[in-house]
Amino acid sequence: MSVVNRLLKTALPLTPKFIVRFFAKRYVAGDSLEDAVNTVRRLMGEGCCATVDVLGEAVRNPELAAQAVAAYREVLATIIERKLDANISVKPTQMGLGIGEDLALSNLRQVVAEAARLGIFVRIDMEDATTTEATLRMYKALRQEFSNVGVVLQARLRRTLSDARNLGQEGTNVRLCKGIYLEPRAIAYEEPEIIRWAFVHALEALFSGKGYVAIATHDEWLIEQALALAEKMGVPKERFEFQMLLGVDPALRRIIVSAGHKLRVYVPFGSHWYPYSVRRLRENPNIIRAGLEAFFRRRLEA
Ligand SMILES: Cc1cc2nc3c(=O)[nH]c(=O)nc-3n(C[C@H](O)[C@H](O)[C@H](O)COP(=O)(O)OP(=O)(O)OC[C@H]3O[C@@H](n4cnc5c(N)ncnc54)[C@H](O)[C@@H]3O)c2cc1C
């Protein structure tokens, strides 16, 4: 990473919120559910489907966790009413995991039960490594009762190959991603190339199992590896989909769709946009750099 990008990354937490918002708006559909509906409609027009995320995390107050459950109920009803090709993604700490696992499980159960009633799938997002065990436990508890629920594995974590083997054998619907949360070396790989190969190995374990796989990456090398692996292992198109984040590489999105693959876009919306946006910008400071360069170019030309 260049020195400028490293400086931009370091400066992010000190940057005023309105500036962060300016650069991060590409990653978020907007503040309201209607913004999310419009974005999903636009994506459907491009041949994509969506997973809708009500922004929010690290909730410390049971009242706020209950509000998140209510917000998801509204999203579920809207998906049906507006005939959206979409499911939902939910964060455990938004459901109250930071307060207690029982509370989070009970809140998640309400969301999953309502989604099951409406025939909609629920993805439980994976957060930092302090939550991995509890998240997998809650997933397993819910999977005993419902079939419309799946979880996420992060290739960055050293434990993931073993989790992929187990969940694959159980027929779990798994989203596989690199993992956005930087973890200590004792439990996670740090080198990008090792994380890439760990992704390929975990994907192979999932393909060897019985479940459905959501391949969540914008890394073209990995997408190629995934397609080659699927062909080599005789995994049919119906057993996997690609997933990408809103605001990241729409050109690659079009390439995947026009090759006839299912492509789901993660569509976050809501007023709690800040932590999600900072994570996205830290992942790619080039976005800020390009924005600043364009701004100063315009100034010089004026
Ligand atoms: C649908 C979806 C759901 C996810 N859910 C989770 C989750 O539950 N838990 C979790 O820990 N992580 C999650 N992630 C994030 C994931 O772990 C990675 O951090 C993220 O996808 C970047 O990794 P990459 O595989 O795209 O590879 P990278 O090597 O990071 O990126 C490949 C290329 O994509 C582009 N790119 C990547 N990120 C950005 C960005 N922010 N802005 C602009 N361009 C970018 C760049 O061109 C980059 O060169 C999810 C990702 C997706 C796509």
Side-chain angles (χ1 to χ4, degrees):
M1 183 179 289
S2 74
V3 177
V4 178
N5 281 4
R6 228 172 280 151
L7 276 173
L8 288 170
K9 250 174 113 165
T10 315
L12 255 178
L14 310 170
T15 308
K17 273 194 170 181
F18 74 93
I19 298 182
V20 174
R21 186 169 183 130
F22 176 77
F23 287 112
K25 58 179 188 280
R26 59 189 286 157
Y27 300 118
V28 175
D31 284 347
S32 71
L33 178 53
E34 199 52 35
D35 293 328
V37 170
N38 291 335
T39 301
V40 174
R41 283 253 166 87
R42 182 173 53 73
L43 290 165
M44 285 167 65
E46 293 175 20
C48 303
C49 53
T51 183
V52 178
D53 168 53
V54 180
L55 287 164
E57 57 194 86
V59 162
R60 288 275 163 202
N61 173 344
E63 195 53 40
L64 290 177
Q67 281 174 22
V69 173
Y72 272 107
R73 280 182 189 281
E74 204 187 341
V75 173
L76 291 168
T78 304
I79 287 174
I80 299 296
E81 268 163 35
R82 311 287 283 273
K83 298 187 172 48
L84 302 180
D85 189 355
N87 61 36
I88 58 170
S89 289
V90 183
K91 289 204 168 25
T93 65
Q94 181 183 24
M95 295 287 112
L97 184 59
I99 305 166
E101 192 172 327
D102 288 347
L103 175 77
L105 179 58
S106 147
N107 284 334
L108 264 174
R109 185 178 283 113
Q110 291 180 51
V111 174
V112 176
E114 179 62 4
R117 194 180 71 75
L118 298 170
I120 298 173
F121 178 79
V122 180
R123 173 80 56 198
I124 308 175
D125 282 343
M126 189 60 84
E127 300 180 84
D128 69 73
T130 62
T131 67
T132 311
E133 270 303 321
T135 301
L136 290 175
R137 245 189 333 263
M138 291 192 295
Y139 157 72
K140 283 178 185 163
L142 291 167
R143 189 66 181 83
Q144 305 272 318
E145 297 173 59
F146 306 99
S147 60
N148 64 321
V149 61
V151 74
V152 178
L153 291 179
Q154 298 153 319
R156 175 186 299 279
L157 296 187
R158 293 177 192 272
R159 59 176 289 162
T160 287
L161 183 55
S162 151
D163 287 334
R165 284 188 182 127
N166 294 336
L167 292 176
Q169 286 313 318
E170 289 164 17
T172 299
N173 182 326
V174 174
R175 174 197 293 152
L176 180 62
C177 63
K178 286 186 182 174
I180 181 71
Y181 304 91
L182 298 181
E183 306 290 356
R185 185 164 175 216
I187 60 163
Y189 305 112
E190 290 178 340
E191 287 296 319
E193 277 310 299
I194 302 181
I195 297 170
R196 269 182 161 176
W197 279 108
F199 192 115
V200 174
H201 296 146
L203 184 58
E204 192 171 6
L206 292 168
F207 276 165
S208 303
K210 299 182 288 223
Y212 186 84
V213 191
I215 304 159
T217 184
H218 321 90
D219 182 337
E220 229 174 314
W221 183 87
L222 270 183
I223 291 167
E224 275 310 304
Q225 293 291 325
L227 291 172
L229 203 56
E231 193 177 326
K232 193 171 106 190
M233 297 175 72
V235 178
K237 270 183 180 176
E238 296 68 38
R239 260 198 66 205
F240 66 92
E241 67 185 38
F242 290 99
Q243 295 194 346
M244 292 176 64
L245 298 171
L246 185 67
V248 180
D249 208 344
L252 181 59
R253 209 157 71 198
R254 286 190 283 277
I255 291 168
I256 295 173
V257 171
S258 56
H261 299 291
K262 186 162 185 174
L263 194 275
R264 190 177 299 280
V265 181
Y266 192 93
V267 177
F269 81 95
S271 51
H272 302 291
W273 53 270
Y274 184 74
Y276 179 87
S277 301
V278 168
R279 276 201 299 279
R280 296 280 84 84
L281 289 174
R282 284 180 69 86
E283 199 163 38
N284 199 331
N286 283 330
I287 300 288
I288 314 178
R289 192 177 168 166
L292 287 175
E293 279 167 6
F295 174 78
F296 286 115
R297 211 175 308 120
R298 274 200 302 274
R299 286 254 132 157
L300 286 173
E301 284 165 4

